Amino acid sequence: MLNAVKQSWLTFRSIFTGMGVTIRHFFGKSVTLQYPDEKMELPKGARSRLFVNIDDCIGCNLCARACPVNCIDIETVAATQDVDLGKTSTGNPKRFWLTLFDIDMAKCMYCDLCVHPCPTNCIYMVPEYEYSEYDRINLVYHFSNLEPEMVAEVKVKAELEAEQKKRDREEMMRKKAEEKAKKELEEKKKAAEESKKEDKEEE
Amino acid sequence: MSQILLNINPIAILVHAAIPLTIILVYALVAIWGERKIAGFIQDRLGPMRVGGWHGWAQSIADLLKLIQKEDIIPTDASRFLFKFAPFMMFAASYAAFAVIPFSSAYIGSMVNIGVFYLLAVTSVLTLSVIMAGWASNNKWSLLGGMRSAAQMVSYEVPTIASVLTVVLVAGSLNLMTVTELQAGNDILGFLPNWLIFQNPFLIVAFIIFFISILAESHRVPFDLPESESELVGGYQTEYSGMRWAMFMLAEYADMLLLSLLGATLFFGGWNSPFGDFMGGPLWGFFWFMLKGLLLVIVMMWIRWTLPRYRVDQLMHICWSILIPLSFINLVLTALWEVIF
């Protein structure tokens, strides 16, 4: 009997304790974030989407080589002598046309390894995480800002210049070889004359 | 009999019958939304927030529209008639019991002089409909839920009736209107209203027993074994879908309101204002009555989101070896108190 009373007392006490806890939470603040309306600020250094500031890229290819999953695709064309591509905001001269700079975010594993090698800090993560797509192909982000015609033109120009350079070099080589041969011939002549002179003096 | 039928205006009957139905339907919409909000706040969430603008107030309406559009699935091996009939019978049972609830001093569905007896008898049909649903579904979860519910409701009806009997003993009437009228005025200690719970210490015990029993009768946590979602999927509701399931839900909420209103009538003075004549009258009476009932409903919801579920053996232990002896002792002591004072 006494035990039953004790048990009942304990039961009621625990029930009221529990109800006290729940009522405190009832009037407490909710932790819910109304997601599409309110968004949590991402912590510093959050890795969510890669972005390339293409104006600062020098086309060094270091990021593509650092990528463990090969999700960065870069194609560069050397700038011809008649154009000056200017400098990056960090002061590095730009020497390449970036005809292709694609990042496949479907492949990306958010390792951040491409960010650190960049000499001009132009590839980095941006706090943007709502970019789901219906088609996987839409996850390939194109960062190159050259028009297709421009790319073709630049390529042709670069090829021409390369050919020109090759020809120039060949010409130079030939000239050099000719000069060398001339010199040698003259030296031989001189040597022959000198030896004649010496012969005369001896006589 | 024919004379009675001739004297009753059918339109008046319809109007009379429609009043509790309107109350139940509006209450169910508000209560389901309210329960979700209470659950949310207690768990540090927000609950429904989108539908209808302000705090998702139209969530229940949206849910209702969704349920109307759902397919009415009847399992192939189910007993078709019983399966289809059970939810309506369940709602009919809780709806019928509202006939003897005095909503205000001016309105009671039926002024029968055996009101409490009628109410308890009609709510017993709930058990039958739950077993019906459980058995007709031809599903092990449903059957287990139905059986548990039968055992639970039959057991807990005993302490409910014993505690109601205690009140009837003090009030001397089975008519709920008379019981309410007895509780008018503010005479206890000079300011407390003459509610039965303040009149007699044994009635406080009776109220505690009554409250625990109605929790079990209306399948509320911690006694929600018939539909325990985590172990029986949905108990007797497992096979139901669409509007039939909604009828069960409606009946459950109606039952909760009914028993809370009964508690408010028996122990808290029904439609009597707590301030004597101040804010009295039929309309204020309705307000006070619903307020008292809804407060009890809110306490039931609060308990739901606080306590875990009892085991079947614990449930039976509480009923048969604690509540029933206690309620009978209480009944005898109240009788002695009435004789002495």
Side-chain angles (χ1 to χ4, degrees):
Chain A
M1 180 66 195
L2 204 71
N3 198 37
V5 172
K6 211 174 150 190
Q7 286 290 321
S8 307
W9 164 246
L10 278 176
T11 309
F12 274 100
R13 208 182 60 180
S14 62
I15 287 173
F16 285 122
T17 312
M19 286 173 80
V21 170
T22 44
I23 201 76
R24 248 177 287 137
H25 280 272
F26 182 88
F27 289 112
K29 214 174 166 299
S30 141
V31 293
T32 307
L33 207 70
Q34 296 250 279
Y35 165 61
D37 303 336
E38 313 167 2
K39 280 175 197 166
M40 195 165 65
E41 206 170 291
L42 288 181
K44 216 182 147 212
R47 306 176 197 166
S48 40
R49 204 179 85 183
L50 275 172
F51 178 75
V52 178
N53 182 4
I54 201 70
D55 292 336
D56 270 5
C57 183
I58 57 171
C60 66
N61 226 12
L62 281 176
C63 49
R65 266 186 272 163
C67 184
V69 291
N70 294 334
C71 70
I72 305 178
D73 221 350
I74 302 180
E75 194 187 84
T76 52
V77 171
T80 42
Q81 302 230 302
D82 55 327
V83 281
D84 182 19
L85 287 175
K87 284 184 173 179
T88 65
S89 61
T90 50
N92 305 45
K94 293 202 274 188
R95 296 198 177 88
F96 293 100
W97 291 106
L98 282 154
T99 50
L100 183 78
F101 200 126
D102 284 1
I103 298 184
D104 189 351
M105 285 313 287
K107 275 195 210 160
C108 179
M109 62 179 209
Y110 310 97
C111 62
D112 222 18
L113 286 178
C114 53
V115 173
H116 301 294
C118 184
T120 57
N121 293 331
C122 70
I123 181 165
Y124 47 84
M125 292 282 184
V126 285
E128 169 67 46
Y129 48 90
E130 296 155 313
Y131 56 94
S132 49
E133 295 283 354
Y134 283 101
D135 199 335
R136 214 188 310 171
I137 204 74
N138 295 336
L139 281 169
V140 179
Y141 287 83
H142 309 288
F143 289 103
S144 170
N145 51 5
L146 290 184
E147 303 285 318
E149 303 94 62
M150 184 75 173
V151 169
E153 191 194 316
V154 160
K155 274 185 182 168
V156 168
K157 252 173 128 181
E159 234 166 74
L160 282 177
E161 200 188 63
E163 255 171 52
Q164 183 65 43
K165 263 188 181 168
K166 207 177 162 191
R167 250 183 278 132
D168 285 355
R169 198 197 262 133
E170 271 166 15
E171 185 77 11
M172 218 164 70
M173 294 294 271
R174 217 188 56 229
K175 269 184 183 166
K176 256 186 185 170
E178 259 172 31
E179 253 170 47
K180 222 180 171 182
K182 237 182 187 175
K183 250 185 188 170
E184 268 172 20
L185 212 74
E186 261 173 34
E187 265 169 27
K188 263 185 185 170
K189 260 184 186 170
K190 250 184 189 170
E193 268 172 26
E194 262 172 34
S195 64
K196 267 183 183 173
K197 258 184 188 171
E198 272 173 18
D199 282 350
K200 268 180 184 173
E201 274 169 20
E202 267 176 26
E203 278 169 12
Chain B
M1 188 69 191
S2 57
Q3 252 188 336
I4 296 171
L5 284 177
L6 279 177
N7 286 340
I8 295 169
N9 185 348
I11 294 168
I13 293 179
L14 272 181
V15 170
H16 252 238
I19 291 173
L21 187 63
T22 320
I23 293 169
I24 293 170
L25 291 176
V26 173
Y27 150 82
L29 288 180
V30 175
I32 290 170
W33 170 80
E35 172 133 38
R36 295 174 67 174
K37 288 307 268 190
I38 288 174
F41 288 148
I42 281 177
Q43 294 166 358
D44 286 346
R45 296 183 286 113
L46 289 171
M49 287 296 282
R50 300 243 142 222
V51 189
W54 183 79
H55 271 268
W57 64 270
Q59 184 65 52
S60 318
I61 297 168
D63 285 347
L64 185 72
L65 289 177
K66 184 196 78 174
L67 283 169
I68 289 171
Q69 293 168 33
K70 287 222 168 190
E71 188 188 351
D72 181 24
I73 300 167
I74 298 169
T76 324
D77 291 335
S79 167
R80 287 183 73 89
F81 176 70
L82 290 183
F83 185 87
K84 283 175 159 179
F85 189 51
F88 299 103
M89 185 158 154
M90 189 170 182
F91 179 67
S94 33
Y95 174 42
F98 275 90
V100 291
I101 295 283
F103 280 98
S104 94
S105 51
Y107 175 78
I108 181 168
S110 168
M111 193 72 165
V112 286
N113 53 10
I114 50 159
V116 180
F117 178 70
Y118 164 82
L119 191 147
L120 293 171
V122 165
T123 46
S124 302
V125 178
L126 285 172
T127 322
L128 191 63
S129 59
V130 168
I131 299 176
M132 215 157 139
W135 188 265
S137 296
N138 195 17
N139 173 312
K140 53 181 177 286
W141 314 121
S142 302
L143 185 59
L144 272 174
M147 287 304 170
R148 279 185 182 186
S149 151
Q152 177 179 329
M153 289 172 95
V154 168
S155 309
Y156 275 88
E157 233 152 57
V158 183
T160 313
I161 292 170
S163 51
V164 169
L165 216 54
T166 319
V167 178
V168 170
L169 196 68
V170 175
S173 169
L174 281 168
N175 187 337
L176 285 171
M177 198 58 138
T178 322
V179 172
T180 313
E181 277 161 1
L182 273 175
Q183 303 177 57
N186 286 36
D187 298 327
I188 296 169
L189 300 174
F191 67 97
L192 276 179
N194 284 352
W195 297 351
L196 280 168
I197 194 155
F198 300 127
Q199 286 193 5
N200 177 335
F202 298 112
L203 285 177
I204 298 174
V205 181
F207 173 68
I208 294 167
I209 295 169
F210 177 80
F211 190 70
I212 296 173
S213 310
I214 63 168
L215 278 181
E217 286 250 348
S218 54
H219 314 309
R220 296 296 294 182
V221 177
F223 306 109
D224 65 333
L225 292 130
E227 58 215 65
S228 41
E229 289 124 342
S230 47
E231 31 190 288
L232 291 185
V233 190
Y236 60 88
Q237 309 169 345
T238 308
E239 293 290 354
Y240 282 89
S241 63
M243 273 321 275
R244 285 180 210 281
W245 180 83
M247 286 302 277
F248 272 129
M249 205 67 185
L250 180 65
E252 199 177 291
Y253 274 85
D255 196 29
M256 206 162 109
L257 179 69
L258 172 77
L259 293 168
S260 298
L261 289 179
L262 178 66
T265 318
L266 292 178
F267 296 98
F268 295 101
W271 40 259
N272 283 305
S273 154
F275 313 113
D277 284 338
F278 178 64
M279 293 174 103
L283 272 178
W284 277 114
F286 178 71
F287 167 76
W288 289 119
F289 187 55
M290 289 312 283
L291 185 70
K292 287 166 189 172
L294 288 178
L295 276 178
L296 280 178
V297 168
I298 287 171
V299 172
M300 283 160 97
M301 290 175 178
W302 178 10
I303 287 174
R304 173 169 179 188
W305 300 106
T306 305
L307 298 179
R309 186 180 303 127
Y310 277 113
R311 281 200 318 262
V312 182
D313 61 321
Q314 290 173 326
L315 177 93
M316 288 299 157
H317 174 79
I318 292 168
C319 181
W320 289 101
S321 58
I322 299 175
L323 289 183
I324 291 181
L326 195 64
S327 58
F328 279 111
I329 292 169
N330 196 42
L331 181 63
V332 172
L333 288 176
T334 317
L336 283 176
W337 175 282
E338 285 296 301
V339 169
I340 293 165
F341 295 100

